[in-house]
Amino acid sequence: MNVVFLIIGLLVLVAAAVRLYIAGQGDAEFEFLVKERTQFAVSEETESYMELTCRVPFVNKGSQDGTIMDAYPRTLLPYEQFDKLEAVGRLELEDAPRVDNYFEAVIIPKGTGQAVNVTLRLTDRKSMGLRSALDAMVGNRVDLPVDIVYQVVARSDWYINKKRLVLTSEELAAALAAKGGE
């Protein structure tokens, strides 16, 4: 009977040691570096919409490789705040562009990173003319917050995180001025 208790005790100690070893290995930890992003610039314009794009680097600063399973931008321009434009976002890996608004999962080794392109499509909602609506957004100092929402799978349970960037009215004015100067 003592031998059985000794074996059970040893198994418990080995299991605890393995668990501590695994916990000490760490995990993936992603960060979108929105402070290092490029300025939004006009990438496409028609009579009814304008697209602005910026580049946002990200890094896996954790101690293990990790996978970003899904990522998308969530624009935060409610109708009650500014009803002249509709804002819709798209996010794609810089080195794997897509046009179908689908984010393909990507494995990021520890200590490395990549970049995504965030594209915002601003559409005239009131038929007042796109440039008039954009000028109203700038004139009323309306900023456009955008959450980058991303799902991570690594050693621990999967989780969803987000990081906010903001297209300010001043930055929109600069992008419009740069486009007008072409």
Side-chain angles (χ1 to χ4, degrees), residues 35-54:
K35 291 182 179 178
E36 296 177 24
R37 72 173 175 88
T38 62
Q39 294 292 305
F40 276 96
V42 177
S43 53
E44 185 177 343
E45 182 177 7
T46 70
E47 288 184 21
S48 60
Y49 72 86
M50 176 179 283
E51 288 188 350
L52 299 115
T53 302
C54 79

Side-chain angles (χ1 to χ4, degrees), residues 6 10 15 31 54 64 87 98 109 118 122 135 139-140 152 179:
L6 180 63
L10 286 174
E31 182 178 4
C54 79
Q64 295 290 326
R98 299 180 67 111
V118 177
L122 303 177
D135 289 342
N140 291 316
V152 175
K179 176 67 177 171

Side-chain angles (χ1 to χ4, degrees), residues 12-24:
V12 168
L13 283 174
V14 167
V18 168
R19 184 171 180 91
L20 287 172
Y21 174 76
I22 290 171

Side-chain angles (χ1 to χ4, degrees), residues 125-162:
R125 188 184 274 167
K126 295 284 193 171
S127 299
M128 64 185 289
L130 177 65
R131 281 297 177 143
S132 295
L134 291 166
D135 289 342
M137 187 172 177
V138 170
N140 291 316
R141 303 183 67 123
V142 176
D143 294 339
L144 174 54
V146 179
D147 285 342
I148 298 175
V149 181
Y150 54 101
Q151 178 188 9
V152 175
V153 175
R155 293 178 67 88
S156 63
D157 292 338
W158 68 270
Y159 62 91
I160 294 177
N161 206 353
K162 66 181 176 179

